[in-house]
Amino acid sequence: VEAAESHFVTVGSVVERPVRKHLEMGPTEYTRIKFYHHNGSPIPISDTGDLSRIGEMVHRMMNAINASACQPPKFLTLLEEDECSNAILGVYTLVSAEVELATLDGILQTRAGHIEDHQNVVTVTYDRRRISFSSLVRRALESGILKAVLYRNTEERIAAQMEIQGHPSYIRVAKFDGSIVPAVDSKLALRRSMSFRFVPMTSLQAMKVNRLVHLGAVHEAVRLLSPRQGKIMMKMMKTDQSKCPDVVDSHIVDSW
């Protein structure tokens, strides 16, 4: 909504009611979204996607902004919805694992936690179009954070076993069939910050901001926030924070 209000002007609103061949399906209302340059000429963008998905709307806004030779805001680029899967990695330390994983292209979210034997694990949400499960395991191995791969199906088991060949035998591949307890120190840099921890963020934003704050690049972290998020951060710097719970790892809609 903020992106739409900041970068576009509504020039008309028409709700169309399509005709259905099968009456038993009932009529369905939907809205066609079209974009225009400031001179009135249309911006050609495919409108075949499902607008009920937030990612589809964001994708169209991004295309329209790019077609207008404008620079899209960073907070909008982080909203683009991706085709994602989850992987569960056993790691040595949660702090370093979350920071390292945030550098990989295609990683959308990290959630730190523990399993029954108190092993540190990070649940990684990744975009399959940009990084494969095998590549994720390989990069985790190369960064030195990987202690175990917890697979949930045969494909993950085979891929993990192939990647760890030639690596120390203490890196294990095991089936995951338990539950994960969220870690109290998940995104530790974010939780320890004076103001970022009170700002509602998307999962991808929180992961990126946590890494930058960990590295001391606070100004770079601020650039990933939208204007309204920036205002919340500034307001919290002047507020009695003892009465305000942090919203780290909370869903952005709930925390907002």
Side-chain angles (χ1 to χ4, degrees), residues 109-120:
Q109 175 182 338
T110 58
R111 286 292 179 93
H114 308 281
I115 54 178
E116 289 82 350
D117 59 359
H118 303 292
Q119 178 178 327
N120 293 330

Side-chain angles (χ1 to χ4, degrees), residues 36-57:
Y36 297 85
H37 291 286
H38 61 84
N39 61 8
S41 60
I43 299 176
I45 296 176
S46 171
D47 61 355
T48 58
D50 180 6
L51 273 176
S52 66
R53 295 171 56 248
I54 293 177
E56 177 62 27
M57 189 68 243

